[in-house]
Amino acid sequence: MKKRLLWTLPLLCILLCLLPGLAAADETAETPLLEWEISKSKTATNLDENFESQITLSLPSAEETLVSDVVFVLDKSTSADLEEQALSMLSDLKAQIEQTNAQVKVGVVIFNKVAHITDFLDLATQYEEIESAITQTISSGTNTHAGLLAGKALLDSDTSVAAHRKYLIFVSDGITYMYNEEPTVTSWSFQGDSVLNWAGPDNWNSKYGTNDPPENWDAWLEEIEGQVASQGTTYEYSYGGTASASTPVEKASEYANSVDKALYLTNQVYQEAKRAGYHCYALTAGTSSALQYLWGPSFMSHLSQGENVNFSTIQNDIYYLLDSGSSVMDKMGKGKWNGIEYNFDLVNMESMFIKEGEQVLSIEQIGENTYGFGQEKDGTYRYTLEYYPEQENTEEYFIWYIHVPISNFCPVQLTYTVKLTNPQKTAGTYGHYDADGSQELDGLYTNNLAELYPVDSNGNEGTSELFGKPSVSYTVTPAPSPTESPTPTETPISTQTPSCTASPDETQSPPATPVPTETPEETPSPPTTPIPTETAPPQVPQTGDSSIAIWVLTLLISLCCCIWLICRKKAA
């Protein structure tokens, strides 16, 4: 019993220690950070003759083409007020990018029972055509699935633009009952005054007994997914055509009707666009029908995940990459490569600078280890940097604080210099050069870590993101070896110092070492043999050398001593 108590008490102590941590974890989980991919890059030049490398942090990525795609998918029932808001957003966006080298391409899809597509137009030069496409009037039927299929296909088709620079704006009241590119419906039987099977928005009430939305859209979509898979296309027909078969009326609740499948497929395409990396927005259009079929606006709210989306928010998302409050932490490189230690230090702080587009912002020291870039009229700075030198238990690093929004169309770049403090002296090549870290090579990393802490244009904090890790290399060349003396083949090497006054005509004597004289440059010098010095390596005896006998005798005496010692040891 005592042994059990001895084991139980430590366990209770451990649990009590863990409880505060678990509580803190629960509190953190209540406010999860947003996740989205931020365009960014980090590059390094290879080491120069001073073992220095220039590092550049870019927001957005330095390699990125400043082109964005915006596609509107508009319900035919979109109000003139929403159309005006969309055009106002585009007009403001056009003005914002006029002073940059950026481009925004706009595509428009208006849908009724089918999708009417206007291919990409340049916002800067074709605004009037875009306006005409958005305000065109059509009628008859509502096929949200066809509209989203066309909108996503338009974005998919432009492979020259990165996914995170594509925007899909879906505007509808959510009321739909057709699906597929060619309008298709389901012959779903229900009991009215008689057994009926026509398709329309009233199918919802006929199946569920109300026009209210489901309590849980995710659970409802999962149920409809099973019904759609089970019944296949057996009861489908082209809208306006004649059905060849209908679902059994007595099992109406077990089959997906036209509204069910239209909503299910609409959600499917919308989620596919999000998974493709596109920015997707669902805006609810206020219509008279929306007041009757409440499931429609509720479905649009489900797509937007309950967020209150408007064109002002979308404009900021398109134009701004990051908002004020974002920051970057950058730690200098230090470690081992192939067992060899390396260390990089931040140097030449006065040469650090920031570029906004083509404008250069010089560095100003505003504190002991604090620096500012781009002073405003009120004395504040657009960017500040806090430097932390290496200490006993901390690495050398800095934090770059961003106090202004950063545009998707005007890159901001911080450039600084690091120096390798302990280059090797042994000949060889050290490290591998990978300018932006894209190859993920094992090399001499200029920085151990660079991490972005983003804030979006709505002031929401996002999860931190890592920059690539560039690596550099350098080569140490062998030191030039001294000129070797030619070995004569016919004349034995003399043990005496050669004469320094040998004449060029004395061809039978060994080459002499020249003594610097005032001989004119045009007089040819004889071949030379370097004079041995105290630091020169000892010569190995050669055939004909008078010292060889002593050398051999020494070896024999040593061998005899060894044999004698071995024999004595055995006798003992």
Side-chain angles (χ1 to χ4, degrees):
M1 183 68 180
K2 289 181 178 179
K3 288 184 177 179
R4 288 183 181 178
L5 286 172
L6 289 172
W7 279 104
T8 306
L9 286 172
L11 288 173
L12 287 172
C13 292
I14 292 171
L15 287 171
L16 288 171
C17 292
L18 288 174
L19 284 174
L22 292 171
D26 286 339
E27 290 176 7
T28 304
E30 292 178 2
T31 54
L33 297 175
L34 296 178
E35 292 188 21
W36 78 97
E37 183 182 355
I38 306 297
S39 174
K40 59 194 176 299
S41 67
K42 182 175 189 177
T43 57
T45 60
N46 210 2
L47 294 178
D48 60 17
E49 65 276 8
N50 297 316
F51 299 100
E52 293 182 352
S53 172
Q54 194 172 69
I55 314 298
T56 300
L57 295 163
S58 298
L59 296 166
S61 169
E63 295 78 25
E64 186 163 303
T65 304
L66 302 181
V67 180
S68 296
D69 288 344
V70 180
V71 171
F72 290 90
V73 178
L74 306 175
D75 196 322
K76 64 172 178 59
S77 59
T78 301
S79 66
D81 179 55
L82 280 176
E83 291 175 350
E84 187 59 38
Q85 289 180 40
L87 290 171
S88 177
M89 180 199 81
L90 290 175
S91 178
D92 291 343
L93 196 58
K94 177 175 177 290
Q96 285 176 311
I97 65 171
E98 279 180 349
Q99 304 303 319
T100 71
N101 295 322
Q103 181 185 22
V104 174
K105 296 183 289 186
V106 179
V108 179
V109 176
I110 304 285
F111 64 89
N112 50 4
K113 60 184 178 182
V114 295
H116 303 263
I117 305 166
T118 301
D119 209 344
F120 285 116
L121 299 167
D122 190 303
L123 178 60
T125 60
Q126 296 175 294
Y127 179 81
E128 289 75 16
E129 290 92 328
I130 296 170
E131 183 178 20
S132 297
I134 288 177
T135 57
Q136 63 181 299
T137 302
I138 56 174
S139 59
S140 180
T142 303
N143 188 346
T144 56
H145 181 228
L148 280 179
L149 280 174
K152 182 177 179 296
L154 201 55
L155 290 173
D156 292 343
S157 68
D158 191 357
T159 56
S160 65
V161 174
H164 62 264
R165 298 187 77 99
K166 294 182 177 182
Y167 303 83
L168 181 68
I169 304 171
F170 177 37
V171 182
S172 174
D173 58 11
I175 301 168
T176 184
Y177 58 93
M178 302 178 197
Y179 47 91
N180 295 343
E181 291 182 24
E182 293 299 324
T184 304
V185 291
T186 296
S187 180
W188 177 78
S189 299
F190 61 97
Q191 186 67 53
D193 295 335
S194 59
V195 175
L196 305 172
N197 58 15
W198 50 263
D202 287 314
N203 284 170
W204 183 279
N205 190 37
S206 298
K207 182 177 180 178
Y208 301 107
T210 178
N211 277 319
D212 292 338
E215 290 184 5
N216 187 313
W217 276 105
D218 288 327
W220 180 86
L221 286 165
E222 185 176 352
E223 179 184 351
I224 298 303
E225 181 179 27
Q227 293 180 357
V228 168
S230 176
Q231 68 196 57
T233 59
T234 304
Y235 307 105
E236 293 183 354
Y237 64 100
S238 296
Y239 180 74
T242 303
S244 58
S246 300
T247 61
V249 67
E250 65 275 11
K251 296 183 178 181
S253 63
E254 299 176 18
Y255 288 84
N257 59 32
S258 294
V259 175
D260 292 336
K261 189 163 185 178
L263 291 176
Y264 168 75
L265 292 176
T266 297
N267 176 74
Q268 191 176 63
V269 177
Y270 190 84
Q271 302 307 326
E272 286 173 358
K274 291 177 69 174
R275 286 193 292 271
Y278 307 157
H279 300 270
C280 298
Y281 307 90
L283 281 75
T284 304
T287 63
S288 56
S289 296
L291 298 175
Q292 178 182 354
Y293 304 107
L294 301 179
W295 49 267
S298 176
F299 175 71
M300 293 298 292
S301 178
H302 169 73
L303 292 183
S304 67
Q305 297 181 318
E307 292 184 22
N308 183 22
V309 182
N310 55 56
F311 284 107
S312 177
T313 301
I314 298 171
Q315 178 184 337
N316 286 338
D317 286 354
I318 295 172
Y319 186 73
Y320 293 113
L321 176 73
L322 295 167
D323 205 352
S324 171
S326 301
S327 62
V328 175
M329 180 174 65
D330 200 339
K331 297 183 177 181
M332 303 304 106
K334 184 177 184 179
K336 288 185 177 181
W337 178 82
N338 284 357
I340 300 171
E341 291 189 353
Y342 67 89
N343 180 76
F344 287 95
D345 281 352
L346 179 62
V347 295
N348 304 330
M349 289 290 291
E350 67 280 357
S351 67
M352 186 183 291
F353 64 91
I354 287 177
K355 283 184 69 176
E356 288 182 332
E358 296 303 317
Q359 183 181 4
V360 176
L361 306 178
S362 300
I363 189 170
E364 298 179 35
Q365 187 164 3
I366 55 179
E368 182 178 357
N369 286 311
T370 306
Y371 302 85
F373 304 83
Q375 188 173 22
E376 304 280 27
K377 292 181 179 179
D378 61 0
T380 60
Y381 289 85
R382 298 175 66 79
Y383 312 92
T384 54
L385 185 143
E386 194 76 29
Y387 171 68
Y388 298 86
E390 183 177 5
Q391 297 181 6
E392 185 177 351
N393 297 318
T394 59
E395 304 171 70
E396 179 187 19
Y397 70 99
F398 66 76
I399 299 179
W400 172 24
Y401 295 99
I402 299 166
H403 305 298
V404 291
I406 293 181
S407 168
N408 270 309
F409 306 106
C410 183
V412 174
Q413 299 178 325
L414 172 65
T415 300
Y416 61 94
T417 304
V418 295
K419 182 182 181 71
L420 179 66
T421 62
N422 54 348
Q424 299 301 302
K425 301 187 184 304
T426 305
T429 297
Y430 299 86
H432 303 285
Y433 182 48
D434 181 7
D436 58 4
S438 58
Q439 301 177 58
E440 299 183 352
L441 300 177
D442 179 22
L444 310 177
Y445 297 119
T446 57
N447 305 78
N448 282 352
L449 173 130
E451 192 166 10
L452 169 67
Y453 297 88
V455 174
D456 72 6
S457 58
N458 299 309
N460 300 312
E461 293 184 10
T463 55
S464 63
E465 299 184 14
L466 296 177
F467 286 80
K469 290 178 66 173
S471 62
V472 294
S473 67
Y474 65 99
T475 299
V476 178
T477 56
S481 58
T483 305
E484 296 182 358
S485 58
T487 304
T489 56
E490 297 181 359
T491 307
I493 296 177
S494 172
T495 56
Q496 298 179 352
T497 303
S499 170
C500 294
T501 58
S503 168
D505 295 331
E506 298 172 353
T507 56
Q508 298 302 316
S509 60
T513 301
V515 176
T517 65
E518 297 183 3
T519 306
E521 292 183 3
E522 61 270 11
T523 303
S525 302
T528 61
T529 300
I531 301 173
T533 65
E534 293 181 359
T535 58
Q539 293 184 345
V540 177
Q542 301 182 28
T543 304
D545 196 328
S546 60
S547 62
I548 192 168
I550 298 172
W551 185 70
V552 172
L553 182 60
T554 303
L555 286 175
L556 288 172
I557 293 171
S558 299
L559 181 61
C560 290
C561 290
C562 290
I563 293 171
W564 178 77
L565 288 171
I566 292 170
C567 293
R568 185 179 178 183
K569 186 176 182 182
K570 286 184 176 180

